[in-house]
Amino acid sequence: MDYIDYRKQLGIDFNDSEKQKLFVKRIHTLFLTRYEVEFCENEDIKFCCEMGFESLIEKRDMQHLILSKNNEPLGMKRLFYYLDSYSKDFYDYLYGILTFLNICVFDSEIKISMFNAVKTALESCHIQYDCFQENEKYFIFPKGAKELDRALVSEPLEWLSNYPNSRKSFVKALELYSNSTNNNASDVADAFRKALETFFQDFFELKDLTIEKTLERNVYERYLKEKEIPGEIRNNFRSLLDSYRNFMNNYAKHHDKTTNSILEYIMYQTGNIIRLLITLKHSEEK
């Protein structure tokens, strides 16, 4: 039982704002006491440009926040000055921490340690965001139901390590999802479509395979029959693919009509299809 669960048992529950404040305090303490990293002038400028912050480099009256007595950069102190002064909301604050990790050049083991500290703090504070690392880059996206995220996002992502092209496409879709709005929702949905089609190509080893061709050629149907999947489940799977294809054609691929509110569902359906096929493959290998 963690601190928040303990408080809840006592009838003193945390609201979202209190959870976010707890996270900020924990990250402040961890980063300022455990890590000594550099934050050079070029990195400072890149960070501020990315975040839209006013750089301290031009503020000569703030030298005590820029340089230590030994004329060495005070990375952590300066990072939190920026975040505390300019972050618009909690997401902006969290995005700033990961932007710092993406921009600054220092020991990779320290970066991984800091990244894991952020993930642990998010989980222990019961905050519905998750972080991923891909090719030494870090990004975040809002979490849904814990069980669904694990079963339909985290585990398929792990299993896709055997299909590197598919994993790359799925990660790209998740990155877009992490910054989704109504203005780019159709692009995000289409990214999940491309991820699924890339997976079909890798899984069935047919490089020109699309969702339409998967249905037309009954590629999946033959595979499910080989695995002795009942007809009712095969029919259900076809209906799912039909609905998925029709939505993409009518709302994302050819028409810009998707809204941000349904993207979580699209993400889970993509993971659901991938999960079923890989699960069958794993059963065969066993």
Side-chain angles (χ1 to χ4, degrees), residues 234-251:
R234 298 200 305 271
N235 291 337
N236 179 268
F237 192 73
R238 182 179 184 88
S239 296
L240 174 60
L241 280 183
D242 270 329
S243 299
Y244 191 98
R245 174 192 60 182
N246 291 336
F247 168 81
M248 292 299 178
N249 287 338
N250 295 328
Y251 290 88

Side-chain angles (χ1 to χ4, degrees), residues 221-238:
E221 177 77 15
R222 291 194 297 273
Y223 185 78
L224 296 181
K225 278 185 176 180
E226 287 176 7
K227 305 306 169 194
E228 300 181 349
I229 302 302
E232 292 83 357
I233 301 299
R234 298 200 305 271
N235 291 337
N236 179 268
F237 192 73
R238 182 179 184 88

